[in-house]
Amino acid sequence: MTSGAVRGRPPARRLDGRLVALGVTGSIAAYKAPELVRALQTAGADVVALLSPAATRFVAPLALEALTRHPVEDDLLALLPDGRMGHIVVADAADAILVAPATAHWLGAMANGLAGDTVTATCLATAAPVVVAPAMDGGMYAHPATRANVRRLRDDFGYAIVEPEDGPLASGSLGVGRLARADRIVEAVVAAIGDRPIRAADPAARPPRSHEPREGDLTGRHVIVTAGGTAEPIDPVRFIGNRSTGRMGVAVAEAALDRGARVTLIVGLTTVALPPQAEQVRAETTAAMRVAVLEALPAADALVMAAAVADFRPRRAATAKLGRRDGLTLELEPTEDILAEAAVRARRLDPGPLLVGFAAETGSLDRAPGKLTGKGVDLLVANDVAEDGSGFGSETNRVTILSKAGQRDELPLLTKREVADRLLDRVARALDDRDAAAQTQAMIGTTTT
Ligand code: CTP
């Protein structure tokens, strides 16, 4: 056995699980940023790039986004889709911030706390260690102003400085100013992090991923999604309805289509555009939705019941428009619980479809576990619709996903599309598990008969 093997963890993966923010500023050496991203990734890091305005003239943000799979933070004032400030999310989640290359201008701005770009602002806001690799002309690096700024960063701020190397510079002259080699820089990042705990292990607390469809993990699956609110007629022109827009259900349908599923979208009243690639079934009343769901269920792999189904309907709907002068007393009766009935049917099917319910609560999610078991579903997505940024009509949602197996995942405020993808991550996994269990069962059956 070699001495390397007994050390346990291979040295190449010393940044496993770490988020490293790479701040790039406007030196010619910025062209080496993609190489640095690769070197950090090879060591196991999840990398997000921050670019100063000048850096975007040397290296295309798109190149760094493609490599890191995170949108690049190059606009100090830009907000993430869920309203969070991008560079603050990076500051709070990063295990280290690496500024490479750091220009003379950037060193001066940082030494004085001038947060004029995302790189300085993130360094000011973070509690993570900061590693700085300067690169510039030799004369500039030797200037007392630059030397003083470097000293300030190192001695007062505790930043690790990866000194530039001696060699040919962009100006054609020789001198100390070349960006340090990638391996030296990665080494400094590893040393700066040391054995600190990972700051944000949950991907939801990290900067968002660039939109990447979870490639084809629902290919060959048939998913039924219900969306919108039901309308229970009082007379031919009036109905009892609710505030649902259908946005959440449509987001689930779109995400499932992007992941390769065949989608049947059963819709009540909606105010959002429906994806044309889905098979659409209109079902405005609870009774019609029940029929549509139960009819589609036997051929489905999953039912996602995102519709806001009415709990009560008028016992009798008038056949002619009711006059205002007569006054009106409505007698209501409870509707059928479509999801609970689907769960009973699903238990008789082999393989049984996976059932997902939604629970829109106000104030607390205490009733959610009872709904999960009461309705007999596999997953329940619960949210507090009274909370800011959640609920009817909003672009975002903060949900908790409960599973039959007892898991409880509290997700942060996310776009409805991201909530849909997080949910479908679980659906895709559960369907794979279901099929694997069936296969094992079949093999046991064959070997014992
Ligand atoms: N649901 C359903 N049929 C109904 C009512 C609700 O299939 N008649 C479904 C919803 O689409 C949702 C889940 O059941 O996926 C939970 O809905 P919710 O309104 O929160 O639960 P209810 O059973 O109606 O309980 P309550 O009104 O007491 O909150």
Side-chain angles (χ1 to χ4, degrees), residues 305 307 309-311 335-339 357-360 367 371 375:
M305 203 64 203
V309 183
D311 292 317
T335 55
E336 307 85 356
D337 190 327
I338 305 172
L339 192 53
F358 275 71
R367 292 178 345 129
K371 281 190 187 176
K375 292 189 185 252

Side-chain angles (χ1 to χ4, degrees), residues 369-439:
K371 281 190 187 176
L372 175 86
T373 47
K375 292 189 185 252
V377 294
D378 299 278
L379 296 168
L380 187 83
V381 184
N383 72 324
D384 179 354
V385 288
E387 193 185 309
D388 268 0
S390 270
F392 303 120
S394 86
E395 293 286 348
T396 52
N397 219 350
R398 185 195 306 281
V399 305
T400 297
I401 302 182
L402 308 176
S403 80
K404 191 167 73 175
Q407 262 180 312
R408 183 188 172 98
D409 295 333
E410 289 175 21
L411 305 186
L413 190 67
L414 296 170
T415 60
K416 286 189 171 170
R417 171 58 194 244
E418 186 59 23
V419 170
D421 269 313
R422 300 294 183 93
L423 172 64
L424 293 178
D425 288 345
R426 288 159 176 81
V427 169
R429 213 179 314 135
L431 289 175
D432 288 346
D433 291 349
R434 178 195 74 174
D435 291 355
Q439 244 170 22

Side-chain angles (χ1 to χ4, degrees), residues 104 111 140 283 286 339:
M140 288 169 82
T286 303
L339 192 53

